[in-house]
Amino acid sequence: MLCAPLGSVVSNHLSCQVGIMLGGLLASTGLILGSFATSLKHLYLTLGVLTGLGFALCYSPAIAMVGKYFSRRKALAYGIAMSGSGIGTFILAPVVQLLIEQFSWRGALLILGGFVLNLCVCGALMRPITLQEDQTTPEQNHIGRTQKPDFQRVSPCSTLTKKWVQTCLCCSLQQEYSFLLMSDFVVLAISVLFMAYGCSPLFVYLVPYALSVGVSHQQAAFLMSILGVIDIIGNITFGWLTDRRCLKNYRYVCYLFAVGLDGLCYLCLPMLQSLPLLVPFSCTFGYFDGAYVTLIPVVTAEIVGTTSLSSALGVVYFLHAVPYLVSPPIAGWLVDTTGSYTVAFLLCGFSMIFSSVLLGFARLVKKMKKTQLRFLAKEPDPKLQLWTNGSAAYSVARELDHRDEQSVALTVPGPSPT
């Protein structure tokens, strides 16, 4: 996720096909090289850095392509596409364990490297598409044609390099990342930080918490399985629901609702200390976790548009990375300090609720400003109204006088005999 913006840059300047195929090649290379590792440092570089970089080049472009191809049922398309992550985790977890038992971990990494190489095939199937809003206007084309000869006439190497660097910086900042100056996107970015901080620790500490309240190891693992399966169901069904006509215009509100409910689940978790109570929690949290994950690209597209979606998603997923990295250690420190999971879970819950409230408050303020501007635009000025009414009355009088003159001319064609 830290390298997600790099995937957006590659896909924007080359294509989504090239970005995904290059990412698949890097990810497969990392897994294959990891099978020959002789120390943990080698695995950090291969399985961690190289494979992670390859997945980063694949993820953002693949999600952005969904937004370009689908508009009518966009949320459902995102839900189906993003459910692949949960389905893959659910299926591959026992398969990988079987591969390790049969071929050792080195053989398992080799087989996974060949399996991940299929990302190159997936990337080749990402047929490029050009939307109407992606096309440049004639004025922009004219500006580009007039500037190009001036750039080509530069002969000194240093000046040419300087202009090339300036051109690249201007293109990157003004065209690809101009949305960073949008107030709506800034609010979304801040809320993503709090939301990502809250959602990450549960996947690390749900099993230890269940064990601490007397649940067996098998039942605790069953809770994580329930969470994963319901997460997949939430991806697809919530995307389908928000594509309905009654909810299509309220996807933003549905996103806030899902994030807020996950925060409330966190607040209730310290009171749930038995398996019959933890099972409904896993179902509820898993469903709404899959729900808001599906709507993240939809909400981002509503703010920045489809043209900048790939770059915006790169930034959004980059913002996920820092809380994902920091929040589990902080939660673990709180558990060690207090001797209980209560403070850690409450902090995560309030963080997600604050994320939802922040976005809701920003949207409310924006609507109030729009309403105020409409009210001011509709409110008539008394002086303007008087001047308009006077002009209208004067025009009507002139028209009536003109009609009277025409009627007299028609009825009396010549001079009067008297």
Side-chain angles (χ1 to χ4, degrees):
M1 289 195 170
L2 285 173
C3 296
L6 180 61
S8 300
V9 170
V10 172
S11 64
N12 289 337
H13 287 275
L14 299 177
S15 68
C16 288
Q17 284 181 319
V18 174
I20 295 173
M21 293 173 70
L22 179 60
L25 186 61
L26 288 176
S28 176
T29 303
L31 288 167
I32 294 173
L33 291 178
S35 65
F36 299 100
T38 57
S39 67
L40 196 60
K41 293 181 181 178
H42 295 162
L43 288 177
Y44 286 153
L45 294 176
T46 56
L47 190 60
V49 176
L50 196 58
T51 302
L53 177 62
F55 288 152
L57 294 179
C58 296
Y59 194 69
S60 298
I63 298 300
M65 283 293 287
V66 176
K68 287 191 174 184
Y69 265 93
F70 296 92
S71 58
R72 184 179 178 185
R73 297 177 180 175
K74 184 180 293 186
L76 177 59
Y78 276 126
I80 295 174
M82 302 184 77
S83 66
S85 177
I87 295 173
T89 303
F90 181 73
I91 295 176
L92 284 178
V95 172
V96 169
Q97 184 63 36
L98 181 63
L99 291 176
I100 292 173
E101 293 175 358
Q102 294 292 327
F103 305 102
S104 78
W105 64 270
R106 294 183 186 274
L109 285 179
L110 275 174
I111 296 173
L112 286 176
F115 180 73
V116 169
L117 199 59
N118 285 287
L119 282 173
C120 296
V121 180
C122 297
L125 295 175
M126 294 284 183
R127 185 172 63 87
I129 183 173
T130 303
L131 301 179
Q132 187 175 2
E133 58 187 284
D134 294 337
Q135 298 175 352
T136 57
T137 60
E139 291 78 5
Q140 292 173 334
N141 292 332
H142 177 70
I143 292 174
R145 289 195 298 268
T146 56
Q147 290 178 346
K148 189 174 181 180
D150 294 335
F151 180 77
Q152 289 178 342
R153 283 198 297 266
V154 178
S155 56
C157 182
S158 60
T159 308
L160 184 64
T161 304
K162 184 178 179 180
K163 283 187 171 291
W164 181 80
V165 172
Q166 290 177 352
T167 304
C168 291
L169 289 176
C170 290
C171 290
S172 298
L173 294 177
Q174 295 179 1
Q175 296 178 5
E176 295 179 14
Y177 293 97
S178 59
F179 58 86
L180 292 174
L181 301 177
M182 297 172 58
S183 59
D184 290 344
F185 185 81
V186 172
V187 175
L188 176 65
I190 296 173
S191 70
V192 163
L193 290 173
F194 287 95
M195 180 268 293
Y197 178 88
C199 71
S200 178
L202 182 74
F203 295 92
V204 180
Y205 294 107
L206 178 60
V207 172
Y209 172 73
L211 294 174
S212 68
V213 297
V215 178
S216 65
H217 286 273
Q218 185 177 2
Q219 292 173 337
F222 179 66
L223 290 175
M224 287 301 299
S225 299
I226 294 175
L227 189 66
V229 173
I230 300 299
D231 192 287
I232 298 169
I233 296 174
N235 283 141
I236 300 175
T237 59
F238 205 76
W240 178 82
L241 286 173
T242 52
D243 274 335
R244 300 302 93 195
R245 185 175 299 178
C246 57
L247 294 177
K248 198 168 187 177
N249 295 327
Y250 301 98
R251 290 169 176 167
Y252 195 93
V253 178
C254 293
Y255 171 79
L256 303 182
F257 178 75
V259 175
L261 277 182
D262 265 0
L264 290 176
C265 290
Y266 259 122
L267 300 184
C268 297
L269 182 56
M271 297 180 290
L272 310 177
Q273 299 185 358
S274 63
L275 183 65
L277 295 177
L278 288 174
V279 169
F281 166 82
S282 296
C283 294
T284 306
F285 188 92
Y287 183 84
F288 288 107
D289 180 76
Y292 76 74
V293 167
T294 297
L295 292 180
I296 286 176
V298 179
V299 172
T300 306
E302 288 183 1
I303 293 176
V304 304
T306 307
T307 304
S308 303
L309 181 58
S310 179
S311 301
L313 284 177
V315 175
V316 168
Y317 292 133
F318 171 82
L319 294 173
H320 276 74
V322 179
Y324 278 176
L325 188 66
V326 172
S327 58
I330 293 178
W333 176 78
L334 289 173
V335 171
D336 292 338
T337 304
T338 61
S340 171
Y341 290 89
T342 302
V343 177
F345 288 155
L346 291 180
L347 181 60
C348 293
F350 284 121
S351 179
M352 297 192 76
I353 292 174
F354 177 77
S355 172
S356 177
V357 171
L358 178 64
L359 282 177
F361 180 75
R363 178 56 65 94
L364 183 62
V365 170
K366 187 176 181 180
K367 283 191 175 183
M368 291 176 62
K369 286 184 178 180
K370 283 185 178 180
T371 305
Q372 186 178 7
L373 290 175
R374 289 176 183 175
F375 178 76
L376 293 175
K378 290 181 180 180
E379 186 177 358
D381 189 354
K383 295 182 180 180
L384 182 62
Q385 187 177 11
L386 180 61
W387 180 85
T388 305
N389 292 340
S391 299
Y394 179 73
S395 299
V396 171
R398 286 287 304 273
E399 182 68 22
L400 291 175
D401 291 342
H402 182 65
R403 289 180 180 178
D404 291 342
E405 290 176 0
Q406 287 183 343
S407 62
V408 170
L410 290 173
T411 54
V412 188
S416 174
T418 57

